[in-house]
Amino acid sequence: MTNRKPLIDSDGEVRELTAEDMVKFKPTAEVLPLSLRKKLAVRGPQKTPTKERITIRLSREVVEQFRESGEGWQTRVDAALREWLKNHSPA
């Protein structure tokens, strides 16, 4: 076992990391659980934006039910509205 210098000094301050410290770091893919890696994943910029960001007021019950359905709930709201538009006029 190597004798490592602690990252925190006696005053509770984190010391400056050295090149030697950095070499010992592992890639996040090796140390983070998959669930956290997915949450930290960053989407790249859209080539052509296909949706418009708006503010809309919906009843609490509708929002709660869609949110309870899990990730992607806003996309499902969009799909439900698209389906409704097939048989109805918005005016």
Side-chain angles (χ1 to χ4, degrees):
M1 186 179 271
T2 60
N3 192 5
R4 288 194 216 175
K5 201 173 179 183
L7 292 177
I8 300 174
D9 66 17
S10 59
D11 295 328
E13 295 291 319
V14 177
R15 67 174 171 79
E16 187 173 333
L17 296 174
T18 64
E20 187 179 315
D21 292 321
M22 300 297 268
V23 169
K24 295 176 185 170
F25 285 179
K26 294 181 181 179
T28 56
E30 290 181 23
V31 295
L32 293 178
L34 178 61
S35 60
L36 183 55
R37 288 196 319 260
K38 283 183 179 179
K39 288 181 182 182
L40 295 175
V42 178
R43 230 177 103 180
Q46 290 184 337
K47 292 177 183 164
T48 305
T50 58
K51 295 183 179 178
E52 183 177 345
R53 179 179 291 272
I54 64 164
T55 300
I56 186 171
R57 295 175 63 86
L58 300 171
S59 68
R60 181 173 296 184
E61 296 82 14
V62 169
V63 174
E64 284 176 358
Q65 286 195 22
F66 274 97
R67 278 189 178 148
E68 288 172 1
S69 68
E71 259 184 66
W73 69 272
Q74 291 170 319
T75 300
R76 287 189 290 282
V77 170
D78 182 63
L81 289 170
R82 283 176 182 266
E83 186 63 32
W84 185 86
L85 284 171
K86 287 180 183 177
N87 300 312
H88 300 82
S89 171

